[in-house]
Amino acid sequence: MFSDSHRQILDQANLNFSADQLARVTELLANQALINAAGDEDLIAALEVANALYRAGAPIVSDADYDFVYLNELKRRQPEHPLLHEVEPEPVFAGKTVDLPVVMLSTDKAYSREDIERWAARIEKAAADIGEDFRALTFKVTPKLDGYAAYDDGQLLYTRGDGRKGQDITRVFERGLQVAGQGARGLGAGEIVVGRRYFDENLAQHFDNPRNFQASVIKEKELEEHALKAIADHAAVFFPFALLPHWSGPWSELIADFEAIVQDIWHKVDYDVDGVILEITDEPLKQYLGATRHHHRWQIAYKENLATANVKVVSVTPQTSRSGRITPVAELEPTRLSGALLSRATAHHYKMVVDKGIGPGALIRLARSGEVIPKIEEVLEPAEPEVPAHCPSCGHELIWDNDYLICPNNLACPAQISNSMEHFFRVLKNNDGFGAATIKKLYEYGIRRVDEIYALTAEQFESMGFGPKQSQNLVE
Ligand SMILES: [Zn+2]
């Protein structure tokens, strides 16, 4: 698995393992399934190896696997491990390091809308602390460039290094590298990037990936002809974050239109982008929020979780939704994906189950992107599907409505009625206590409508078997 150049990178990064351990680490990085059995020491070594190779432009595992499988496992075992809280170093080059003009930190990462909302809640609390109006704050969203991090103080250009000490790479400007969009020098932090299309058309035959090329642009040795040409063609540039296209506005607008804004900003530039950066612009609040050793608290990266896995379907369970549509839920052989153990996935509708052959024994590709129950992306090996004839809740005969199998018994189907009542309280937000279990109990006692729930007294709740305290809470 490791080539000579891989070994050279590990040597330069001072990662020296015994041959035995290196063999175990190699195997662990090649096969995620070994992670549960791996010792802590091997897991940490695997992370160090993967990180060093990634930073040197020779990745051996995908970013998603690194984050969600290996790093996540370390987080589970040792939440305080320094690897989780340090700025990931850029590759080590021979040559001396110098103090950076400013500390360059990493960015905290979020993989779901909920993570982003939690971050905003911390901002809101901090704003209240210093008497600022959260609703008046400006949020800014920019593409998260996946290039080579550097800092331009107008005189010198530095690598990020360990965030405090970096290396002088001003030579890349002497080689003719331009600031993106004919921008000026001295605009601070940014990334050395190369145009995606240009890379595909002119550089892909010389470099495995853009990261590889970006790392090569800064090397001390003289550049190859095609690298110099990419610089002369202004395809490779230094892109200061200050010049990035952005969205800005108040939190209420951002969260109301979150997916659309993220998609729009993500695709605004023709460089490799691996997420978007969200931040606030209010200087006093930024100062008040400050930073950890690892990241600024006023800024967060939103990344999509693109991990996929191939898994076997054990069976498909029909579930009646509040609209009467029957949702096919595939029970799976338990699989670790994005650091979570998954055992169920949904198909869009029963037409898909029939057309694609999602039956017991089928092999499917699963993708997880933040939601609790992932969706089936693709069927790799179909199997004979099972289509239910009757509603699993009320037993009524099912009928087809375009692609959907539905239970037409809207007025008396227990699943439809309880799911509707549950949905009502979920949308209402102050749904304290009215979860699935409570609704199920109420249904058993003949409650069919939300207004009937509102009419109940504490005594009536108690007579249904709820405790006195809970009954009082439910009334309130
Ligand atoms: Zn039914």
Side-chain angles (χ1 to χ4, degrees):
M1 181 181 189
F2 287 130
S3 64
D4 283 350
S5 70
H6 280 142
R7 286 177 206 285
Q8 219 174 342
I9 293 163
L10 298 184
D11 278 350
Q12 273 186 346
N14 278 325
L15 292 172
N16 304 308
F17 303 110
S18 69
D20 275 2
Q21 190 177 16
L22 195 59
R24 287 198 305 274
V25 165
T26 308
E27 228 179 310
L28 177 57
L29 288 170
N31 184 0
Q32 301 175 10
L34 298 172
I35 199 162
N36 289 325
D40 287 7
E41 228 173 88
D42 286 349
L43 174 64
I44 291 160
L47 281 161
E48 286 171 344
V49 166
N51 203 8
L53 295 176
Y54 167 76
R55 291 289 156 181
I60 45 165
V61 295
S62 72
D63 291 7
D65 283 350
Y66 178 84
D67 282 352
F68 294 117
V69 178
Y70 299 98
L71 202 59
N72 215 56
E73 180 67 13
L74 180 63
K75 203 184 248 176
R76 199 180 63 74
R77 294 187 194 183
Q78 300 186 22
E80 295 308 320
H81 193 279
L83 262 181
L84 298 164
H85 304 283
E86 276 168 7
V87 175
E88 304 87 353
E90 295 283 1
V92 184
F93 287 89
K96 65 182 171 64
T97 57
V98 291
D99 284 335
L100 295 176
V102 296
V103 174
M104 289 180 77
L105 296 178
S106 271
T107 320
D108 198 15
K109 297 187 188 93
Y111 293 96
S112 69
R113 198 189 157 102
E114 288 69 39
D115 289 346
I116 294 294
E117 283 173 328
R118 274 193 288 275
W119 170 73
R122 293 195 292 274
I123 305 267
E124 185 168 10
K125 186 173 172 301
D129 285 350
I130 61 168
E132 289 208 27
D133 182 3
F134 176 73
R135 288 164 304 177
L137 294 178
T138 298
F139 284 75
K140 193 171 151 192
V141 185
T142 51
K144 183 175 186 300
L145 297 177
D146 186 16
Y148 194 95
Y151 190 92
D152 177 16
D153 68 359
Q155 299 288 316
L156 302 179
L157 185 72
Y158 308 84
T159 65
R160 188 175 70 186
D162 66 0
R164 286 170 175 78
K165 279 175 177 294
Q167 281 174 316
D168 179 352
I169 51 162
T170 315
R171 56 180 172 269
V172 303
F173 283 130
E174 286 151 14
R175 285 166 178 165
L177 192 81
Q178 299 284 307
V179 175
Q182 275 115 40
R185 289 281 315 271
L187 288 174
E191 304 244 343
I192 296 170
V193 290
V194 60
R196 182 74 243 190
R197 194 173 312 148
Y198 185 94
F199 179 87
D200 289 342
E201 285 167 7
N202 302 285
L203 297 167
Q205 62 268 41
H206 307 293
F207 298 91
D208 287 344
N209 51 53
R211 171 164 283 276
N212 219 318
F213 167 77
Q214 287 146 6
S216 89
V217 166
I218 68 169
K219 68 183 182 185
E220 278 177 294
K221 277 187 293 184
E222 215 169 298
L223 294 192
E224 296 85 356
E225 203 182 324
H226 41 260
L228 285 171
K229 186 163 187 312
I231 290 174
D233 289 345
H234 299 175
V237 292
F238 174 69
F239 210 131
F241 298 143
L243 296 181
L244 281 170
H246 66 273
W247 176 94
S248 67
W251 171 252
S252 57
E253 275 178 35
L254 173 56
I255 200 64
D257 215 7
F258 186 69
E259 277 75 23
I261 291 168
V262 166
Q263 283 313 311
D264 181 48
I265 292 299
W266 198 303
H267 299 104
K268 267 272 191 291
V269 290
D270 179 39
Y271 301 107
D272 272 355
V273 169
D274 63 352
V276 297
I277 301 273
L278 286 76
E279 63 190 46
I280 54 164
T281 58
D282 185 271
E283 284 303 330
L285 186 55
K286 279 163 72 170
Q287 281 193 4
Y288 176 72
L289 278 157
T292 68
R293 272 169 49 78
H294 176 268
H295 61 265
H296 297 289
R297 293 195 185 88
W298 44 266
Q299 184 183 58
I300 198 163
Y302 175 73
K303 301 179 93 175
E304 250 160 24
N305 176 345
L306 296 172
T308 63
N310 301 340
V311 275
K312 213 157 219 148
V313 173
V314 177
S315 62
V316 178
T317 309
Q319 272 185 4
T320 310
S321 71
R322 71 190 153 89
S323 67
R325 281 178 178 172
I326 310 298
T327 307
V329 180
E331 316 286 343
L332 311 169
E333 283 179 355
T335 301
R336 189 177 281 278
L337 181 61
S338 318
L341 199 63
L342 301 173
S343 56
R344 321 179 84 188
T346 55
H348 298 291
H349 43 57
Y350 260 97
K351 174 92 175 346
M352 179 177 169
V353 169
V354 174
D355 288 355
K356 301 239 165 125
I358 305 175
L363 187 68
I364 59 167
R365 184 191 298 282
L366 210 57
R368 185 158 185 259
S369 53
E371 68 266 45
V372 181
I373 300 182
K375 294 198 173 61
I376 296 172
E377 290 293 307
E378 199 186 338
V379 178
L380 303 170
E381 288 169 21
E384 189 65 35
E386 294 167 345
V387 179
H390 299 98
C391 174
S393 179
C394 69
H396 196 286
E397 205 167 305
L398 298 177
I399 56 171
W400 282 99
D401 177 17
N402 293 316
D403 295 343
Y404 294 88
L405 205 51
I406 62 167
C407 165
N409 186 18
N410 300 81
L411 295 178
C413 178
Q416 293 184 48
I417 293 167
S418 9
N419 286 339
S420 299
M421 290 196 286
E422 204 190 317
H423 177 77
F424 175 86
F425 286 104
R426 203 180 316 130
V427 171
L428 205 63
K429 288 288 186 196
N430 60 343
N431 57 342
D432 296 351
F434 289 98
T438 304
I439 297 289
K440 184 162 178 277
K441 204 175 231 178
L442 291 171
Y443 186 90
E444 283 164 11
Y445 278 89
I447 302 296
R448 297 289 180 271
R449 295 198 318 269
V450 169
D451 60 333
E452 292 172 347
I453 297 179
Y454 276 108
L456 291 171
T457 63
E459 289 71 32
Q460 285 171 313
F461 277 116
E462 268 193 69
S463 72
M464 294 177 194
F466 293 99
K469 190 140 184 290
Q470 194 189 359
S471 298
Q472 197 54 45
N473 286 342
L474 291 175
V475 171
E476 284 159 10

